[in-house]
Amino acid sequence: MTAAGVVVGCDRLPSAQEIAQALALRLAPQATSVRVAYAQDGWNILLEAEQIPDQRSCLDALGDLLTSSLLQPIDVYGRQLGGSQPGWGVRLRPKDVPAPEQVGQRSDRPYRTEPLLLAAGVAILFSVGAGLHWQSPSVWLEAAPAASPAQVRSVILNAAATLAPATPPLFRYVPPESFRGRVFNSVPLAAGQKLIALTFDDGPDPIYTTQVLDILAKENIKASFFAIASAVAAYPELAQQIVQEGHTLANHSWSHRYHNYTPSAAMREVDHTQQYIEQVTGVNIKLFRPPGGRLNNGLASRATQQGYGVVMWSVDPQDWLPGQTSEQIATSVIRQAHPGGIVLLHDGGGNRAATVAALPKMIQDLRTKGYEFVTLPELLQASDPSGELHHPEWLTIQETAQLEVLVAKLEARCQALRAELIASSPLEPAQRHQIAAALKEQQQALSWVQQRLAFEIIAENRYQAAFAMGQQALTAAKAQEWAVVTHQLQGAIAELERISERSFVYPLAQVKQREYKRLLDRTPNVTSSRR
């Protein structure tokens, strides 16, 4: 017995296992299931596949397994999987035995062939225990149990852990020209626009930032957070959460100190903070708020020189004062509120329980008065709609690329496991079962990632299409082609509304949608402009 042949001499009969093992290596392309049984008058072999196996191909493969002599007849049947009666049957006889009609014979084979009578009862020859049943990898794979959602998630997370991190930035924002390199405490708006921006300083804080985010999420409000880099270093996951939930995260210095800075120290304090926030969160927002609102200690000068918008405030409830109650804070904000206002609040730097408690009432009362809450970039854009509509370099681009790499990794793993399953011995069913289960698990993970990639590409394409229409609207606005502006903005809004909230780009799509709606509201009515 050798790996290439069944019989090497006449001194012994090969076992059913030996024949099955040889067939396992040679018949996989022609048959997915091979049953081998031995009877006193010779061998019986049943070949099965999704379609009836090709007779000539199977006999050629069997012939390759036989050496110079065929000791006994071999009855070979081909049948469709699940069928009751073979589609064909052939008896292989030694050449020195006279045979009636020869079917599909090759002259170089050490046997002759003759057709067999086909009977449904042929399955009795291959009953359990009568021989060895070999199945191809596809059969084992089909029989393997389906992986659970938890197992699929585990496969994906393990593979994703080997990916290179996404390249920042997720969102790069430069304020419009009218605010770039300047200090401002409120934003002028057109009549009828009641926009206001909530801003939070001195975080992130593990207690109060989380509570603020929960309230904002419940109220469906986006705000702006001026973060201290040292706090970001202490609680990077909170800084990332702020960004992931669609809020603006901006620069509030590294150390929040009030003393005077030399030019080189100011550069480190402002520039290093910006770089670190980008490194941790992937955002680069060129807005800066000096600690304590101090404009003469070197930090604000550095920021304006670098083109930052230096953001002060016009509504200050002084929530940082000891003893302030939530009622006092809310009442103060409501009393001072005005369109284009920037509200100064704190989510870090001390006990901010009163600020957190004041938020729901503050939001409810301002909404009752007709105010809409926006982020600082949205507020600036509303004030200066003729400014550049910035195209964010967002992380979805990198994440889509990461999904593509993940698909390639899982495909390679599936190919390796399939090769391992094909090479495994049919005599070790426990090993085959383990490999098949692992392959099925990997295939399910691959299928999920492929579907997710297709889903993200669709969302990304819709965002890009909406942005292109927004750019066309801007061009048309410069030419005062208001009908074109209206048409393009309406198309962009409709395209953004089609983006699923489960997509990577959804938070940015929401920002753009609000921006385009405000621009649309300010676009002159075509009919009235002709009068």
Side-chain angles (χ1 to χ4, degrees):
M1 175 69 186
T2 68
V6 175
V7 181
V8 295
C10 302
D11 55 334
R12 72 179 183 89
L13 287 174
S15 68
Q17 287 188 349
E18 288 174 327
I19 288 185
Q21 186 175 20
L23 292 177
L25 298 174
R26 301 298 296 273
L27 283 180
Q30 289 81 28
T32 60
S33 174
V34 178
R35 296 177 186 268
V36 178
Y38 179 72
Q40 291 183 350
D41 57 347
W43 293 98
N44 296 291
I45 299 176
L46 177 62
L47 309 175
E48 297 177 297
E50 293 293 335
Q51 302 297 326
I52 296 175
D54 179 68
Q55 175 180 317
R56 181 176 295 277
S57 298
C58 290
L59 294 184
D60 285 349
L62 281 169
D64 291 337
L65 295 174
L66 302 173
T67 54
S68 58
S69 62
L70 180 67
L71 300 181
Q72 291 178 294
I74 298 179
D75 290 350
V76 185
Y77 300 90
R79 185 175 73 178
Q80 185 175 10
L81 275 173
S84 59
Q85 183 170 330
W88 54 266
V90 173
R91 172 165 292 175
L92 308 183
R93 287 184 177 276
K95 255 188 175 178
D96 56 347
V97 178
E101 183 180 356
Q102 296 183 353
V103 180
Q105 173 160 338
R106 286 172 52 173
S107 59
D108 59 340
R109 296 304 186 200
Y111 59 80
R112 297 180 177 182
T113 62
E114 62 184 63
L116 291 169
L117 295 176
L118 304 180
V122 71
I124 299 175
L125 298 171
F126 305 96
S127 58
V128 177
L132 186 70
H133 180 195
W134 172 78
Q135 293 176 315
S136 71
S138 61
V139 175
W140 282 82
L141 186 60
E142 184 177 348
S148 68
Q151 290 172 313
V152 172
R153 283 195 297 270
S154 177
V155 169
I156 293 171
L157 290 174
N158 288 338
T162 65
L163 297 178
T167 303
L170 162 64
F171 184 71
R172 183 182 294 278
Y173 175 79
V174 177
E177 184 65 35
S178 56
F179 296 96
R180 199 175 308 161
R182 302 186 182 185
V183 179
F184 57 93
N185 57 14
S186 63
V187 173
L189 297 175
Q193 285 191 299
K194 298 192 72 172
L195 307 180
I196 194 167
L198 298 181
T199 67
F200 296 87
D201 283 14
D202 300 350
D205 180 273
I207 298 175
Y208 302 112
T209 301
T210 302
Q211 295 175 10
V212 168
L213 289 174
D214 288 344
I215 293 172
L216 295 177
K218 181 179 179 181
E219 297 291 346
N220 193 26
I221 286 175
K222 304 305 178 187
S224 301
F225 291 78
F226 285 95
I228 302 172
S230 58
V232 171
Y235 308 105
E237 70 287 346
L238 279 179
Q240 292 163 359
Q241 182 182 349
I242 290 170
V243 172
Q244 290 165 1
E245 294 186 7
H247 305 288
T248 294
L249 186 68
N251 189 329
H252 196 38
S253 81
W254 186 278
S255 59
H256 201 268
R257 292 175 181 169
Y258 297 158
H259 63 247
N260 292 333
Y261 289 84
T262 64
S264 59
M267 179 185 69
R268 290 192 298 271
E269 192 78 11
V270 175
D271 296 12
H272 288 187
T273 295
Q274 193 77 358
Q275 293 165 8
Y276 187 71
I277 289 176
E278 181 175 319
Q279 176 185 332
V280 171
T281 68
V283 302
N284 189 318
I285 309 295
K286 296 206 77 172
L287 297 175
F288 177 77
R289 176 170 284 168
R294 300 197 176 191
L295 299 174
N296 57 359
N297 65 352
L299 297 184
S301 296
R302 174 63 187 178
T304 56
Q305 290 168 7
Q306 295 300 306
Y308 287 78
V310 176
V311 185
M312 301 296 280
W313 53 87
S314 60
V315 179
D316 181 8
Q318 297 186 319
D319 64 332
W320 51 271
L321 283 176
Q324 284 276 60
T325 66
S326 61
E327 181 68 25
Q328 289 172 324
I329 294 170
T331 300
S332 179
V333 169
I334 295 164
R335 177 176 50 82
Q336 297 179 60
H338 62 93
I342 299 174
V343 182
L344 173 64
L345 298 167
H346 294 80
D347 64 324
N351 186 333
R352 305 306 178 203
T355 300
V356 172
L359 271 178
K361 175 177 173 53
M362 183 192 311
I363 292 169
Q364 181 181 357
D365 285 9
L366 289 176
R367 274 183 169 160
T368 301
K369 293 176 178 291
Y371 282 94
E372 179 185 351
F373 296 92
V374 295
T375 64
L376 282 170
E378 292 174 322
L379 188 63
L380 301 185
Q381 187 65 48
S383 175
D384 187 2
S386 63
E388 180 185 356
L389 294 176
H390 300 285
H391 182 203
E393 302 171 33
W394 34 279
L395 186 61
T396 303
I397 297 295
Q398 285 79 26
E399 285 190 338
T400 301
Q402 284 182 310
L403 283 177
E404 291 171 346
V405 174
L406 188 56
V407 165
K409 285 180 176 290
L410 291 173
E411 285 176 339
R413 179 60 178 155
C414 287
Q415 290 172 0
L417 284 171
R418 179 174 288 279
E420 188 178 348
L421 183 60
I422 291 173
S424 63
S425 170
L427 306 181
E428 299 180 9
Q431 180 192 31
R432 285 202 140 200
H433 176 79
Q434 182 179 4
I435 298 172
L439 175 55
K440 195 163 193 174
E441 190 177 85
Q442 293 284 330
Q443 287 180 332
Q444 287 180 242
L446 173 61
S447 176
W448 188 94
V449 175
Q450 287 172 328
Q451 293 177 44
R452 180 72 192 203
L453 176 59
F455 170 82
E456 293 297 343
I457 289 174
I458 290 173
E460 181 180 316
N461 289 341
R462 286 174 176 163
Y463 183 90
Q464 295 287 3
F467 174 75
M469 286 185 275
Q471 289 290 78
Q472 292 169 11
L474 178 61
T475 302
K478 292 178 180 178
Q480 296 188 352
E481 297 174 349
W482 304 119
V484 176
V485 173
T486 299
H487 176 73
Q488 293 295 337
L489 288 176
Q490 288 175 339
I493 292 168
E495 197 67 31
L496 291 168
E497 287 175 343
R498 298 177 61 198
I499 295 177
S500 170
E501 64 181 11
R502 296 188 297 111
S503 66
F504 297 145
V505 73
Y506 179 75
L508 293 174
Q510 290 293 291
V511 171
K512 277 295 177 193
Q513 187 177 341
R514 292 195 296 269
E515 177 183 315
Y516 291 159
K517 284 181 177 179
R518 284 193 294 273
L519 289 175
L520 185 60
D521 290 340
R522 296 193 62 185
T523 300
N525 182 277
V526 177
T527 303
S528 62
S529 64
R530 288 176 178 172
R531 292 177 181 175

